[in-house]
Amino acid sequence: MRILVVEDDALVADAIRRGLESAGHAVDRVDCAEHARTALAAENFDLAIIDIGLPCSNGLSLLRSLRQDGLAVPVLILTARDGLADRVNALDLGADDYMVKPFAMPELVARCRALIRRSRSAASALLTIGALALDLGAHRVEVDGSVVELTRREWAVLECLALNVGRVVAKPKLLQAIVNWDAEIGANAIEVYVSRLRSKLGASVPIRTVRGIGYRLDDGSH
Ligand code: CA
């Protein structure tokens, strides 16, 4: 999944980036509210992590303006330990969750996962689609009960298809699930990952090509 981190403190931002990337997410970071607005208007993110303490305009004003613009992206706010009023304000302004600094990275990663899952109305971290079983928390994939090892990007493509099962996922959306702005990645990368997924997962996990648009994972029931 693709996550935007809005934090001016480079050390904190780098720690968050590393934690989320090792959990398989593509992470981009901006250091002020204005750049965050630009990034969120230009690209699709699955989640934004916004620090309240930002230069110029603070994270709560940013959140308010995003919601006023009708942007529904899940938002997790980072607040200071003594920021009770900030936390209440953040939730009232449309934040989906908050974390108090300093926080433990595994908890941040788990909360991000829960927010993304909730925003897609998947109630549990376990997804079963025909012969395919996905544990979204553990990044574990089984086909017909046998574990299949996937790379980080193969996982990201499969997760995106699985969360949209039965619907066509356009190639640019799949690309966004695996890249961030730093990543050098060719235009045919998605074809490559889908072809590797097909050979690893086998015919009982039908990933259909929808010519000129993208791919669709069928649930096998039709
Ligand atoms: Ca900050």
Side-chain angles (χ1 to χ4, degrees), residues 12 24 50 57 63 109 117 143 147 188 200 210:
V12 174
I50 300 176
S57 162
L63 173 64
V109 170
R117 196 170 66 224
V143 177
V147 174
N188 66 345
K200 285 187 176 184
V210 182

Side-chain angles (χ1 to χ4, degrees), residues 6-9 12 51-55 101:
V6 188
E7 165 64 285
D8 58 316
D9 183 321
V12 174
D51 184 44
I52 286 192
L54 294 173
K101 288 184 184 177

